[in-house]
């Protein structure tokens, strides 16, 4: 049965308020990284959907130090509401893809701010070598560490099409390694990748239901200008859902999702200057309000249709 009140799903906010007694806000950071899918190790153009900023379009400027980015983020949030607790979120590019000495300096600088409660790191499963894991384990003893892994899909055909650059066993090993050292694992998935059916998307969800992960992001595919995906969409348009279809499918996903897994994202808001489609996603609040109404109307809650 529903245990999360009006939201009707196990949200990241629910967990954070339970632990910290208040809302905790993310400050997105740019550590000046690159990616093996961009520097020639695996490729040069990145995943087909990835922007020039490495999916860090809302992150701070890499021209500023981490401390300066955090200060700027805190100031911006404080202008809107009283805020006391933060997540330092290294978002742009692959944030474990650098010498360990550099990673340690970046992470340590972020954690010097006493208001930063959690260190969150977006990365690839194939960029978590033994020395990086040792560093994360050490930091996790003093401050919680989250690692966000970009899986997107379990289907090899789609993974090859989007140029993900690693196979599923690599992801599985990364999850196992991270959980062995007590790291919270969050998995990024993309819904409505070109050619994927709703059944295939639900297969990815079902797979993750039985993985030792603590969080999930359900991200609707955004088509951003100046990406290879945008070129494909212009030349050979593929199906992009309208808001009604997406909300209905999210309801199905939520009902089937393991209730122990916290939801960190249900849509997204790509940068307006880059977004080519779907344009209705620009008003994130409208989408989330419509979802809440739909869940209540259909009496859906997270895990309603979940089976061990």
């Amino acid at each position: 049965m529903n245990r999360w009140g009006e939201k009707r799903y196990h949200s990241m906010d629910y967990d954070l308020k339970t632990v910290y007694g208040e809302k905790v806000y993310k400050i997105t950071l740019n550590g000046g990284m690159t990616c093996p899918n961009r520097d020639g190790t695996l490729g040069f153009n990145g995943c087909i959907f990835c922007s020039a900023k490495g999916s860090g379009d809302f992150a701070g400027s890499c021209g500023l130090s981490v401390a300066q980015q955090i200060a700027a983020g805190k100031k911006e949030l404080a202008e809107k509401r009283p805020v006391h607790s933060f997540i330092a979120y290294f978002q742009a590019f692959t944030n474990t893809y650098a010498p360990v000495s550099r990673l340690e300096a970046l992470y340590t600088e972020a954690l010097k701010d006493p208001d930063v409660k959690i260190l969150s790191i977006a990365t690839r499963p194939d960029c978590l070598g033994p020395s990086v894991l040792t560093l994360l384990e050490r930091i996790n003893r003093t401050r919680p560490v989250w690692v966000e892994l970009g899986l997107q899909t379990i289907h090899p055909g789609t993974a090859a099409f989007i140029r993900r650059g690693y196979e599923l066993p690599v992801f599985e090993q990364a999850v196992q390694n991270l959980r062995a050292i007590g790291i919270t694992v969050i998995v990024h998935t993309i819904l409505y990748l070109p050619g994927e059916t709703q059944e295939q998307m639900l297969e990815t969800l079902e797979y993750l239901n039985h993985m030792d992960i603590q969080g999930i992001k359900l991200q609707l595919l955004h088509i951003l200008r100046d990406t290879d995906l945008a070129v494909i969409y212009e030349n050979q348009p593929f199906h992009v859902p309208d808001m009604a279809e997406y909300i209905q499918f999210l309801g199905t996903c939520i009902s089937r999702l393991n209730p122990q897994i916290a939801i960190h994202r249900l849509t997204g808001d790509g940068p307006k200057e880059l977004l080519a489609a779907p344009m209705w996603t620009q008003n994130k609040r409208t989408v989330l309000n419509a979802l809440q109404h739909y869940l209540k109307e259909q009496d859906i809650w997270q895990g309603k249709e979940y089976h061990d």
Side-chain angles (χ1 to χ4, degrees), residues 104-146:
E104 183 168 16
L106 290 169
Y107 301 159
T108 301
E109 185 177 357
L111 293 172
K112 282 182 179 177
D113 190 310
D115 295 328
V116 170
K117 308 301 183 185
I118 296 165
L119 175 66
S120 184
I121 302 164
T123 192
R124 295 171 56 91
D126 53 357
C127 294
L128 288 164
S131 58
V132 173
L133 291 169
T134 298
L135 171 63
L136 298 180
E137 181 179 24
R138 187 167 73 248
I139 295 172
N140 193 51
R141 294 192 194 113
T142 59
R143 207 84 58 92
V145 175
W146 295 353

Side-chain angles (χ1 to χ4, degrees), residues 155 158 161 192-198 200-201 221 238-240:
H155 299 289
T158 312
F161 175 74
Y192 288 91
L193 286 164
E196 285 210 346
T197 64
Q198 289 192 356
Q200 287 176 304
M201 295 179 243
L221 178 68
F238 49 84
H239 176 66
V240 175

Side-chain angles (χ1 to χ4, degrees), residues 16-297:
L16 291 174
K17 286 178 180 176
T18 300
V19 173
Y20 297 101
E22 61 182 350
K23 186 173 177 64
V24 182
Y25 291 83
K26 276 187 177 179
I27 298 176
T28 55
L29 303 172
N30 189 329
M33 303 290 179
T34 183
C35 173
N37 220 355
R38 287 177 177 267
D39 69 359
T41 302
L42 295 174
F44 292 97
N45 297 321
C47 297
I48 64 170
F49 51 78
C50 196
S51 71
K53 292 186 177 180
S55 297
D57 297 282
F58 297 109
S61 169
C62 61
L64 300 176
S65 70
V66 169
Q68 288 171 326
Q69 291 180 55
I70 290 175
K74 290 172 72 172
K75 181 180 178 182
E76 182 179 354
L77 286 165
E79 290 171 354
K80 300 174 184 178
R81 60 187 72 83
V83 185
H84 308 100
S85 300
F86 303 91
I87 300 168
Y89 177 36
F90 284 89
Q91 180 185 39
F93 297 100
T94 302
N95 291 281
T96 58
Y97 191 55
V100 171
S101 58
R102 183 181 173 201
L103 297 177
E104 183 168 16
L106 290 169
Y107 301 159
T108 301
E109 185 177 357
L111 293 172
K112 282 182 179 177
D113 190 310
D115 295 328
V116 170
K117 308 301 183 185
I118 296 165
L119 175 66
S120 184
I121 302 164
T123 192
R124 295 171 56 91
D126 53 357
C127 294
L128 288 164
S131 58
V132 173
L133 291 169
T134 298
L135 171 63
L136 298 180
E137 181 179 24
R138 187 167 73 248
I139 295 172
N140 193 51
R141 294 192 194 113
T142 59
R143 207 84 58 92
V145 175
W146 295 353
V147 170
E148 179 181 321
L149 300 176
L151 174 67
Q152 323 313 354
T153 178
I154 64 167
H155 299 289
T158 312
F161 175 74
I162 64 176
R163 299 197 300 256
R164 190 179 67 189
Y166 68 84
E167 296 183 354
L168 199 57
V170 176
F171 168 80
E172 293 170 348
Q173 187 63 58
V175 172
Q176 181 178 328
N177 291 343
L178 289 166
R179 293 302 299 142
I181 59 174
I183 301 292
T184 294
V185 176
I186 300 150
V187 178
H188 191 285
T189 65
I190 298 181
L191 302 178
Y192 288 91
L193 286 164
E196 285 210 346
T197 64
Q198 289 192 356
E199 181 180 0
Q200 287 176 304
M201 295 179 243
L202 290 171
E203 285 169 355
T204 294
L205 190 77
E206 178 62 23
Y207 166 85
L208 291 172
N209 270 341
H210 301 286
M211 292 291 289
D212 185 12
I213 67 170
Q214 290 64 56
I216 191 170
K217 287 186 173 181
L218 299 170
Q219 166 75 57
L220 173 61
L221 178 68
H222 282 132
I223 302 164
L224 302 181
R225 294 185 179 90
D226 302 321
T227 63
D228 290 346
L229 182 64
V231 175
I232 294 169
Y233 184 66
E234 182 178 355
N235 294 327
Q236 296 178 305
F238 49 84
H239 176 66
V240 175
D242 60 21
M243 189 170 79
E245 178 187 341
Y246 185 64
I247 286 173
Q248 184 176 12
F249 184 58
L250 272 183
T252 301
C253 291
I254 289 169
S255 71
R256 297 192 187 186
L257 183 63
N258 183 338
Q260 298 303 315
I261 298 175
I263 296 176
H264 286 235
R265 181 182 294 168
L266 283 165
T267 176
D269 46 356
K272 292 182 180 180
E273 68 275 12
L274 292 181
L275 186 64
M279 301 307 292
W280 56 264
T281 62
Q282 291 183 91
N283 194 333
K284 185 176 179 180
R285 179 49 52 195
T286 297
V287 177
L288 292 175
N289 286 343
L291 173 65
Q292 294 294 353
H293 177 77
Y294 178 78
L295 296 178
K296 185 175 182 180
E297 180 182 63

